[in-house]
Amino acid sequence: MEQAKKMLLMNLTVSSLILSILYAVIITNSNNSLVSGTPYASGPGDAVVFVLFFLMLYMCHMVLSLLHYFIFRNTVWQLSVKMIVFNGAVAAMIIILYLSLNEPVILFLLLTPVVFSIRAAN
């Protein structure tokens, strides 16, 4: 249980922050329909779009960190079962999001469960 709390704090503070910044930079600098439809996508408005995407992604990472915590604090399940449940649930959410937005840049979010799972395996 103590290890699950440490992973939650690490995921909320370090991993989520770094991944949110990385994804926001990728989304802001790529040519996609998420950014091209906004009137603020050029000039000083890039910072506004970056902060908007960063905050949305950080909130999503917070939810994923909590999901990760609730799954990995279960002491009855084996590590392989925990990883399958967590990665499967996150992959299903990302695929549904991809199908609804039809934007390939969304698939970068599949790196998040991989990063969280690598941290859990150590």
Side-chain angles (χ1 to χ4, degrees):
M1 181 66 109
E2 192 66 32
Q3 183 182 5
K5 288 180 184 178
K6 287 181 184 178
M7 282 193 316
L8 174 66
L9 288 175
M10 194 62 141
N11 285 343
L12 284 174
T13 56
V14 177
S15 301
S16 295
L17 182 69
I18 292 171
L19 288 172
S20 297
I21 289 171
L22 176 71
Y23 294 157
V25 166
I26 290 171
I27 290 173
T28 308
N29 291 325
S30 66
N31 187 11
N32 58 45
S33 65
L34 296 174
V35 178
S36 64
T38 62
Y40 306 110
S42 63
D46 279 343
V48 173
V49 174
F50 170 79
V51 169
L52 174 71
F53 279 110
F54 168 75
L55 292 175
M56 287 189 309
L57 289 165
Y58 193 70
M59 184 181 62
C60 292
H61 281 115
M62 287 174 45
V63 170
L64 292 180
S65 295
L66 289 173
L67 176 66
H68 185 267
Y69 170 72
F70 288 129
I71 290 174
F72 277 79
R73 76 175 182 170
N74 185 349
T75 56
V76 178
W77 292 352
Q78 294 179 351
L79 181 62
S80 60
V81 173
K82 293 175 186 179
M83 286 197 179
I84 289 171
V85 169
F86 175 70
N87 291 334
V90 174
M93 287 188 278
I94 292 170
I95 296 299
I96 290 170
L97 184 63
Y98 169 72
L99 292 174
S100 65
L101 294 175
N102 198 20
E103 187 58 51
V105 77
I106 299 294
L107 296 177
F108 276 113
L109 294 175
L110 289 173
L111 293 175
T112 299
V114 173
V115 171
F116 286 178
S117 294
I118 288 173
R119 295 224 4 97
N122 292 332

